[in-house]
Amino acid sequence: MKITAIKGFSDILPGEVEIWQAVEAKARQVFNAYNFAEIRIPILEKTELFSRSIGETTDIVEKEMYTFEDSGGDSLTLRPEATAGIARALISNGLLRGARLKLWTAGPMFRHERPQAGRFRQFHQFSVEAVGFTGPDVDAELIALGARLWQRLGITRVRLVLNSLGTSAARAQYRSALQAYFQAHESALDADSRRRLQGNPLRILDSKNPALRVLIDAAPVLTDYLDDESRQHFDSLRAMLDGIGVAYTINPRLVRGLDYYSRTVFEWITDALGAQDAVCSGGRYDGLIGQLGGEATPAVGFALGIERVVELIRQAGTVAAARPPAVYVIASGAGAEARALALAEQLREALPGQGVHMNLGGGNFKAQFRRADRSGACLALILGDAELGRGVAALKPLRREAGQSECPLADLPSRVGKMLQEESWTST
Ligand code: ATP
Ligand code: MG
């Protein structure tokens, strides 16, 4: 029996991993440009962390978590998202105390959902969080950071949707109004929505059932229940986004699936990925840290789904393939092969930014030249026993018509460095 992978868990293979590396490198640059520091947190946390933060009646906690008991009897969960873990890390490391922190992390998340295009059980996110700022300036900056990331990645088919949820008091009022409304129409609801009616009526608004569309469209609107301060916060945020030229639309039905949000919520959505239209989602979570036992600290952040971004880039074709090596080392003959290994080491020592690809497993010159060509290398270094006897190796540019020249073995590192420069070959 052939061993298989777990359903919904994917391998990221060479050929595709280059897009991931480009996304990671550019994201890192952008995070630095906005002065966000990296934090790395565990993949496994106590189950309680997620049930207390994400909310007992959310899809994630109700049915999507990978939860198990370890041999010590503790209930542990593979993280379904990173915000709760970051909040926990700030509390457990005593980093709050009025601090203002801008942090990001990246890595795998785990949700037991039905696997399909754009939806996996292990997927990856960037999570970007600003803690200790009441906003709305920091809300605007986070959104600007997202916009800059799209620009750097060459992604154009995304747009920003924005809403405000108000304070939790305002939301509680709205919740009652919504509950009353749906209760009055209970017979028209589907089973899922009827179940949500008591626990979390806001989630009925998220329903994808087309039969409920008209009913949902006529439901009370959150915007009408906003408290004055939240309204001001939202108006200022909008003015700031206008000021920096970030376009958005307001969707009063955007409520987000997680319980911990307050005031600003936003989503970058795309029309290029079919049913999975959310690429990046976030919002303000002023109550979360206090709820987890930390000192009350306002915070705002977003999570970006890397698989969906990689897919957008693949569609746009804006990322180059893997970088070929600078030098391919060809050697034939027992003495030459042994010496070539040492020469390749010398080149790697002298030219740390350059790829040096050693021909492995022998082969005649013709076969090795063919491999060198296919590797995309800039130069071939050729060593046979005859050259070795004379204390030289041959060098040949591969990316244009050119003859080969000989070089004393001792001069190889500097000569190769010079030739790469002449060929305008940049380091990896
Ligand atoms: P969706 O509505 O697609 O289920 P969500 O609201 O559950 O998304 P969040 O929890 O806010 O998503 O996560 C942020 C981002 O992570 C999403 O915008 C999406 O890009 C990505 N994401 C979420 N779940 C998955 C998944 N199962 N597979 C791949 N990417 C995902
Ligand atoms: Mg989801």
Side-chain angles (χ1 to χ4, degrees):
M1 273 282 276
K2 213 177 355 176
I3 193 88
T4 55
I6 307 170
K7 197 172 165 202
F9 286 60
S10 313
D11 305 300
I12 304 165
L13 304 176
E16 184 191 6
V17 84
E18 290 75 19
I19 304 185
W20 286 73
Q21 290 168 340
V23 171
E24 287 157 7
K26 288 187 181 163
R28 218 171 258 279
Q29 269 178 6
V30 171
F31 298 148
N32 285 337
Y34 286 79
N35 196 30
F36 281 73
E38 184 176 2
I39 178 172
R40 299 189 185 189
I41 54 168
I43 284 171
L44 210 52
E45 297 271 4
K46 292 182 180 159
T47 302
E48 186 196 4
L49 170 65
F50 302 114
S51 48
R52 272 172 61 187
S53 58
I54 296 170
E56 295 281 2
T57 59
T58 57
D59 277 349
I60 293 180
V61 174
E62 267 180 359
K63 54 187 187 205
E64 294 176 0
M65 295 205 301
Y66 279 92
T67 297
F68 64 94
E69 207 172 275
D70 75 357
S71 51
D74 291 322
S75 177
L76 304 180
T77 293
L78 283 170
R79 63 181 186 193
E81 53 107 51
T83 304
I86 291 178
R88 197 272 311 134
L90 298 180
I91 297 169
S92 13
N93 292 287
L95 295 177
L96 292 167
R97 302 202 185 90
R100 289 137 69 88
L101 299 160
K102 301 209 289 183
L103 301 167
W104 68 272
T105 198
M109 307 296 156
F110 303 86
R111 297 185 195 175
H112 197 273
E113 308 191 64
R114 194 170 66 77
Q116 53 196 287
R119 192 172 291 287
F120 310 94
R121 291 181 171 172
Q122 174 177 310
F123 62 100
H124 297 75
Q125 288 182 339
F126 289 118
S127 188
V128 185
E129 322 283 346
V131 175
F133 306 85
T134 52
D137 51 358
V138 71
D139 306 24
E141 195 183 57
L142 269 174
I143 289 171
L145 185 160
R148 186 151 309 278
L149 194 56
W150 309 135
Q151 177 229 337
R152 290 280 163 84
L153 292 171
I155 291 175
T156 51
R157 285 178 74 174
V158 286
R159 60 187 192 86
L160 175 64
V161 184
L162 210 58
N163 192 24
S164 175
L165 302 180
T167 58
S168 56
R171 197 139 51 116
Q173 269 197 338
Y174 174 63
R175 190 179 176 283
S176 311
L178 203 60
Q179 207 161 35
Y181 170 81
F182 283 124
Q183 236 146 26
H185 297 89
E186 192 168 347
S187 57
L189 294 178
D190 58 17
D192 247 1
S193 301
R194 222 166 285 154
R195 203 167 41 76
R196 289 168 173 170
L197 194 50
Q198 293 314 318
N200 195 348
L202 266 70
R203 271 182 54 210
I204 301 176
L205 301 177
D206 274 342
S207 167
K208 301 208 160 90
N209 182 353
L212 298 182
R213 202 64 271 155
V214 177
L215 188 63
I216 288 174
D217 283 345
V221 175
L222 181 52
T223 325
D224 296 335
Y225 291 79
L226 280 192
D227 51 293
D228 285 344
E229 264 184 68
S230 296
R231 194 182 301 279
Q232 260 170 34
H233 189 279
F234 195 42
D235 289 345
S236 312
L237 170 61
R238 291 170 56 183
M240 287 170 186
L241 292 178
D242 294 339
I244 53 178
V246 174
Y248 54 85
T249 53
I250 292 175
N251 177 1
R253 296 286 180 225
L254 179 67
V255 293
R256 306 281 306 115
L258 290 72
D259 266 2
Y260 53 58
Y261 288 113
S262 53
R263 293 202 170 153
T264 312
V265 287
F266 61 90
E267 221 158 54
W268 292 94
I269 58 176
T270 179
D271 61 0
L273 298 180
Q276 272 33 275
D277 65 349
V279 181
C280 173
S281 326
R284 180 159 279 284
Y285 52 95
D286 291 342
L288 175 64
I289 293 174
Q291 200 177 308
L292 292 174
E295 66 189 70
T297 309
V300 58
F302 68 73
L304 178 154
I306 304 182
E307 278 80 0
R308 295 185 191 174
V309 165
V310 165
E311 186 52 34
L312 287 177
I313 292 175
R314 202 204 318 269
Q315 287 183 12
T318 46
V319 168
R323 182 116 183 97
V327 184
Y328 192 101
V329 181
I330 293 174
S332 186
E337 279 177 35
R339 187 59 192 274
L341 269 179
L343 289 175
E345 281 305 306
Q346 278 170 24
L347 291 179
R348 292 174 183 130
E349 174 79 21
L351 306 166
Q354 300 290 8
V356 177
H357 194 137
M358 177 70 207
N359 182 79
L360 298 174
N364 60 30
F365 273 125
K366 193 168 158 214
Q368 292 194 44
F369 261 109
R370 217 171 23 239
R371 286 182 203 148
D373 261 332
R374 251 187 283 139
S375 78
C378 177
L379 299 179
L381 187 161
I382 306 122
L383 190 69
D385 283 338
E387 284 91 354
L388 184 59
R390 285 185 283 119
V392 298
L395 290 168
K396 179 176 170 13
L398 293 174
R399 306 266 59 86
R400 61 184 174 85
E401 278 307 320
Q404 59 186 53
S405 55
E406 287 196 344
C407 171
L409 295 181
D411 298 345
L412 271 175
S414 63
R415 176 78 66 89
V416 166
K418 208 167 343 135
M419 282 181 74
L420 289 174
Q421 246 170 28
E422 284 163 11
E423 302 290 319
S424 310
W425 190 262
T426 50
S427 52
T428 43

